[in-house]
Amino acid sequence: MATRKAAARPNVSAEELLHHYREMLLIRRFEEKAGQLYGMGLIGGFCHLYIGQEAVVVGLEAAADEGDKRVTSYRDHGHMLACGMDPKGVMAELTGREGGYSAGKGGSMHMFSREKHFYGGHGIVGAQVPIGAGLAMADKYLGNDRVTFVYFGDGAANQGQVYETYNMAELWDLPVVFVIENNQYAMGTSTKRSTKSKSYWERGVAYGIEGEEVDGMDVLAVQAAGKKAVEYCRSGKGPYILEVKTYRYRGHSMSDPAKYRTREEVQKMRDERDPIENVRQLLLTGKHASEDDLKAIDKEIKDVVNEAAEFAKDSPEPSTDELWTDIYAKEIPQGEAIEA
Ligand SMILES: Cc1ncc(C[n+]2csc(CCOP(=O)(O)OP(=O)(O)O)c2C)c(N)n1
Ligand SMILES: [Mg+2]
């Protein structure tokens, strides 16, 4: 049965708090830089920024173990960075260069890393949900204890395939955490205009799936809820739903005129709920770091991002011969190879 009981907040160390700060800042600065490169015409096609939502992936990655999997939508740069993919390879994919994760042929929405168990990057709204349940099914079949995180938005949560997936995931007790990143908008449509039910996670009750709502601007709350969900799934009890309440500061994509909400609404969220500022305050008030320590981290992160941008500008364009490669799989992995 579904539960409303929130997970207890973790008693985190200063080291862990600093890690969260660093990771969230990396995503924020990376996305700001991607926005700049887009404005300079260096990034083509779609580009959906994750600014504002950083605490979601950073909190959940802190709850994940080595070998756990993740799959998400087109708003995917944060997920890639948080699971340890190289900022250079991600940025070079955005600029469509050879050094990118898909050798410059995928772009912002289509990157993968088997090494980091990151399975995309999907442009079709909701398509990653059954794919993620499939990843979890493979793990269950292979008898390991991996958990898959499937991220999708509030807009995607209104899709039929999500509920077909819920049914099968619960029926087969699949080890999957469904993460609804409720950022309150699907393109220009607010949740108030698109759905009458107030809660998305509660829809899982109809399928017998447990779940809860989480404050997605609070990285520690996300981490605690993530740990609880992961333990549940790893112990073989089946899927779990986390509805993470978050907010995107930027437009839906780079071409969003943003006429569906006021500047004041966005500013209020930035001023009062910013997830990075929240951790910054915890670090300072807890005397875990000084202003100077944080300045040094800011500089370090800026350097990493600038280096990634330089790499993404300098890496060559893919050769036209590459148009005919990587279209069909040459080998279908079997048995143990799938575990890689
Ligand atoms: C099947 C499908 N329908 C419509 C679209 C166009 N589309 C792209 S993103 C989007 C909104 C999805 O919003 P949400 O799931 O809340 O994710 P967010 O963008 O907020 O992260 C829509 C309708 C699409 N890509 N695929
Ligand atoms: Mg949304």
Side-chain angles (χ1 to χ4, degrees):
M1 267 300 96
T3 169
R4 277 170 193 275
K5 224 174 121 222
R9 275 182 101 183
N11 203 358
V12 288
S13 63
E15 206 182 3
E16 225 175 334
L17 262 185
L18 279 163
H19 165 270
H20 295 348
Y21 180 73
R22 216 182 269 274
E23 290 289 295
M24 289 195 290
L25 201 62
L26 171 65
I27 297 172
R28 173 91 35 115
R29 297 286 174 257
F30 181 97
E31 293 291 65
E32 286 167 353
K33 182 60 83 181
Q36 282 170 15
L37 297 189
Y38 193 95
M40 291 160 72
L42 285 160
I43 296 175
F46 289 106
C47 183
H48 308 82
L49 302 182
Y50 196 64
I51 298 178
Q53 300 184 211
E54 297 91 347
V56 183
V57 276
V58 171
L60 290 175
E61 283 297 338
D65 269 353
E66 186 58 41
D68 288 343
K69 300 185 164 97
R70 58 285 286 164
V71 62
T72 188
S73 72
Y74 42 83
R75 199 177 300 288
D76 53 1
H77 316 155
H79 303 71
M80 294 187 256
L81 297 174
C83 75
M85 287 170 66
D86 183 354
K88 285 187 188 152
V90 180
M91 198 67 98
E93 191 55 45
L94 297 186
T95 54
R97 306 300 174 95
E98 244 177 47
Y101 267 98
S102 301
K105 298 191 285 183
S108 162
M109 305 193 289
H110 303 114
M111 278 180 249
F112 303 86
S113 166
R114 279 190 75 186
E115 187 203 344
K116 298 291 176 191
H117 308 284
F118 177 78
Y119 291 87
H122 294 267
I124 303 300
V125 169
Q128 71 275 24
V129 180
I131 290 171
L135 290 168
M137 191 178 178
D139 284 327
K140 174 131 191 174
Y141 179 76
L142 292 167
N144 62 39
D145 68 348
R146 305 279 184 260
V147 169
T148 298
F149 292 85
V150 180
Y151 295 86
F152 55 103
D154 44 282
N158 284 329
Q159 274 217 347
Q161 61 185 321
V162 171
Y163 300 94
E164 293 178 44
T165 305
Y166 278 1
N167 186 47
M168 289 186 268
E170 176 63 20
L171 181 66
W172 296 326
D173 289 331
L174 301 184
V176 50
V177 184
F178 294 109
V179 183
I180 306 168
E181 293 200 59
N182 182 354
N183 61 10
Q184 303 175 43
Y185 292 93
M187 297 184 88
T189 307
S190 69
T191 51
K192 288 190 192 81
R193 286 209 299 136
S194 68
T195 183
K196 203 141 189 191
S197 58
K198 291 199 177 58
S199 147
Y200 289 93
W201 74 266
E202 276 183 284
R203 295 177 185 181
V205 175
Y207 300 86
I209 307 180
E210 299 224 10
E212 66 189 83
E213 183 181 301
V214 192
D215 179 356
M217 305 308 269
D218 178 345
V219 71
L220 299 182
V222 177
Q223 180 183 4
K227 282 213 159 125
K228 184 175 153 191
V230 165
E231 266 166 37
Y232 183 94
C233 295
R234 222 186 286 290
S235 67
K237 290 184 185 153
Y240 199 92
I241 301 174
L242 293 177
E243 178 181 346
V244 190
K245 295 296 265 296
T246 180
Y247 196 79
R248 72 166 153 74
Y249 294 173
R250 295 289 185 94
H252 167 73
S253 68
M254 297 305 291
S255 53
D256 179 351
K259 294 209 171 116
Y260 48 88
R261 62 182 181 184
T262 61
R263 277 169 189 268
E264 291 72 32
E265 178 186 309
V266 182
Q267 197 55 47
K268 190 170 159 54
M269 200 57 107
R270 277 184 181 269
D271 291 344
E272 296 175 8
R273 303 297 330 276
D274 187 72
I276 301 178
E277 188 53 32
N278 285 347
V279 171
R280 199 183 134 76
Q281 287 311 321
L282 284 178
L283 284 165
L284 291 173
T285 53
K287 302 213 183 313
H288 302 306
S290 66
E291 290 276 4
D292 282 348
D293 295 336
L294 297 183
K295 262 189 206 149
I297 293 176
D298 293 2
K299 170 150 188 345
E300 203 185 294
I301 299 291
K302 255 189 200 147
D303 291 347
V304 170
V305 170
N306 285 336
E307 223 177 282
E310 286 313 308
F311 178 79
K313 284 189 229 167
D314 293 345
S315 178
E317 302 251 349
S319 131
T320 47
D321 296 343
E322 289 293 324
L323 280 170
W324 315 111
T325 59
D326 304 325
I327 295 169
Y328 298 110
K330 290 199 192 84
E331 285 166 28
I332 309 294
Q334 304 285 338
E336 286 190 359
I338 301 174
E339 281 190 84

